[in-house]
């Protein structure tokens, strides 16, 4: 029975990752500038609803927004990196950190709708 709970928990890693990034972004803005980032609150709420409702349309919408945002941020990281002197340690740190975060969110944006479509198809085939 515990193996089944572990598998159920693992399948929500993409959603949890997005929520954790949104929480970090929200808290960073709140603690640094006392600014409440309502967009990140909306992301946290939306991803929580996606996990609860398991809706294909919501999964497609989320993956589209996450994918577009990830591509935009990859270009933003590359733009910022180009402003550093060649071989600068801080520039490489920025590039590596940005690439890890935004390439992983791009991968999540691809895998997210696939997971929800497979779940709906398997449920409809079983009935």
């Amino acid at each position: 029975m515990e193996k089944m709970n572990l598998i159920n928990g693992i399948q929500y890693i993409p959603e949890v990752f997005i929520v954790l990034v949104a929480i970090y972004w929200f808290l960073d803005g709140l603690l640094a500038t006392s600014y409440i980032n309502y967009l990140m609150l909306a992301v946290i709420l939306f991803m929580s609803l996606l996990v609860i409702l398991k809706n294909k349309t919501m999964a497609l919408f989320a993956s589209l927004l996450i994918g577009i945002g990830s591509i935009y941020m990859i270009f933003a990281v590359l733009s910022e990196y180009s402003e550093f002197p060649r071989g600068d340690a801080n520039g490489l740190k920025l590039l590596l950190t940005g690439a890890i975060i935004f390439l992983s969110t791009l991968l999540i944006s691809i895998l997210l709708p696939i997971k929800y479509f497979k779940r709906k198809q398997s449920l409809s085939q079983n009935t």
Side-chain angles (χ1 to χ4, degrees), residues 85-119:
R86 192 165 196 84
D88 184 41
N90 289 330
L92 292 174
K93 184 178 172 183
L94 169 79
L95 183 64
L96 182 62
T97 304
I100 288 171
I101 292 171
F102 297 117
L103 288 176
S104 62
T105 55
L106 185 62
L107 179 66
I108 287 171
S109 74
I110 294 168
L111 296 176
L112 192 65
I114 293 171
K115 176 177 76 169
Y116 283 94
F117 275 91
K118 282 185 178 180
R119 177 180 298 144

Side-chain angles (χ1 to χ4, degrees), residues 31-91:
L31 296 175
T33 62
S34 298
Y35 171 73
I36 297 177
N37 191 340
Y38 293 106
L39 178 63
M40 289 303 109
L41 286 176
V43 168
I44 294 166
L45 178 66
F46 186 83
M47 294 307 288
S48 300
L49 284 174
L50 178 61
V51 169
I52 294 168
L53 299 176
K54 298 173 182 67
N55 188 316
K56 285 191 298 187
T57 306
M58 287 177 70
L60 279 173
F61 182 70
S63 70
L64 181 66
L65 288 179
I66 292 167
I68 290 171
S70 297
I71 291 170
Y72 174 78
M73 293 306 290
I74 288 169
F75 285 127
V77 166
L78 291 174
S79 173
E80 286 293 319
Y81 174 71
S82 69
E83 294 177 8
F84 282 91
R86 192 165 196 84
D88 184 41
N90 289 330

